Amino acid sequence: AGAGAGGSAFTPEMMQQAQQQMSQMSPEQLRTQAELMKTMTPSQIRASNPMMAAMSDAEIAQATSQFEMMAANPELVKQAAEQMKGMSAEDVQELR
């Protein structure tokens, strides 16, 4: 699978894996992750996290914001995980 229309190689499978990992994190872990990401440049994040290696600067900024939102609202994590469970690869691709 090559890069999509957005030029990113962030596949639906990677999206689901990331969502699964986030759903297993406590609010404190999510908060810590967001704080850590805010101290790093997008290039550093891509180099240190294979899941984010193909993400654009804007996608990384969005991911950081999502970590912060989920840390502030743990119920959001559960809702997102439930939604992702029933989604096909095409559905996930449309989220991008």
Side-chain angles (χ1 to χ4, degrees):
S8 172
F10 199 63
T11 66
E13 292 78 19
M14 291 168 74
M15 181 86 141
Q16 288 175 320
Q17 187 176 0
Q19 188 67 42
Q20 183 179 8
Q21 288 175 339
M22 285 188 282
S23 72
Q24 295 170 354
M25 294 172 80
S26 71
E28 190 54 42
Q29 288 172 313
L30 289 165
R31 200 173 353 269
T32 300
Q33 183 70 28
E35 290 301 316
L36 177 64
M37 290 171 70
K38 286 164 58 175
T39 67
M40 301 169 75
T41 66
S43 295
Q44 290 171 319
I45 292 170
R46 281 189 285 272
S48 67
N49 187 335
M51 292 289 297
M52 296 183 164
M55 293 174 79
S56 68
D57 289 4
E59 288 170 325
I60 288 172
Q62 182 179 13
T64 302
S65 295
Q66 288 171 343
F67 275 111
E68 290 177 315
M69 279 192 322
M70 290 186 296
N73 186 355
E75 192 59 36
L76 192 63
V77 178
K78 291 179 193 165
Q79 289 174 351
E82 284 301 313
Q83 287 178 328
M84 290 294 289
K85 281 183 195 172
M87 295 178 82
S88 68
E90 292 79 21
D91 292 336
V92 174
Q93 195 67 28
E94 287 178 21
L95 293 177
R96 295 188 57 234

